[in-house]
Amino acid sequence: MIIKLSNNSEKPIYEQITDQLKQAILSGTLVTGDSLPSIRALAKELKISVMTTKRAYADLERDGFIVTMAGKGSYVSERNQDFLREELIRQIEVHFTKAVSIAKTANVPKEELHDLLDLLLEE
C-alpha cells in the first residue's frame, strides 16, 4: 500500500492517511476483507508516530470504512452501496463548492458554468 505524506500540506498527517485510505476504498483499490498493515507496521513504514496511525485507523473505523478485530488486525469493512454513493456525492459537493467560489471570483455566469459542466461530462 502506498501512502504519500506531505509536510507542506495544511492537513495533519493522520488526516492525510485517512483521506488516502478512504479514496482507496471508494475507488475499489481496497475491497471488502482486504487487510491493512498493523498500526505499528504502517507507522514504521511511514516513519511517523504510532499514535498518528492509531488516530487515522480510529477515524476510519468510526466512519465505517474499516473494522478492527483484536489480535487479528484491521480490515476493509463491508460497505453499503448507498453509503458509498453518499460519500462520493459529498466529495462532489466539496469540489463544486470550491468551483462555484472560484467562478464567483472570476464573475463567470451560471450559464457558462453549466456549459462547462456539460462539456466535461461529455468527455
Side-chain angles (χ1 to χ4, degrees), residues 61-104:
E61 189 162 14
R62 177 200 66 217
D63 294 343
F65 284 89
I66 67 171
V67 61
T68 302
M69 294 180 245
K72 292 189 177 189
S74 298
Y75 300 87
V76 176
S77 65
E78 186 172 334
R79 304 294 304 200
N80 178 317
Q81 288 302 313
D82 290 336
F83 180 82
L84 285 175
R85 187 171 190 284
E86 284 299 317
E87 177 63 22
L88 291 171
I89 289 172
R90 186 194 65 75
Q91 289 181 20
I92 292 168
E93 288 173 354
V94 167
H95 291 288
F96 276 173
T97 301
K98 289 177 186 175
V100 166
S101 176
I102 294 167
K104 285 179 179 178

Side-chain angles (χ1 to χ4, degrees), residues 99-100 103-104 106-118:
V100 166
K104 285 179 179 178
N107 293 318
V108 175
K110 186 188 327 184
E111 296 75 23
E112 196 172 330
L113 271 180
H114 285 240
D115 291 344
L116 179 58
L117 181 58
D118 289 339

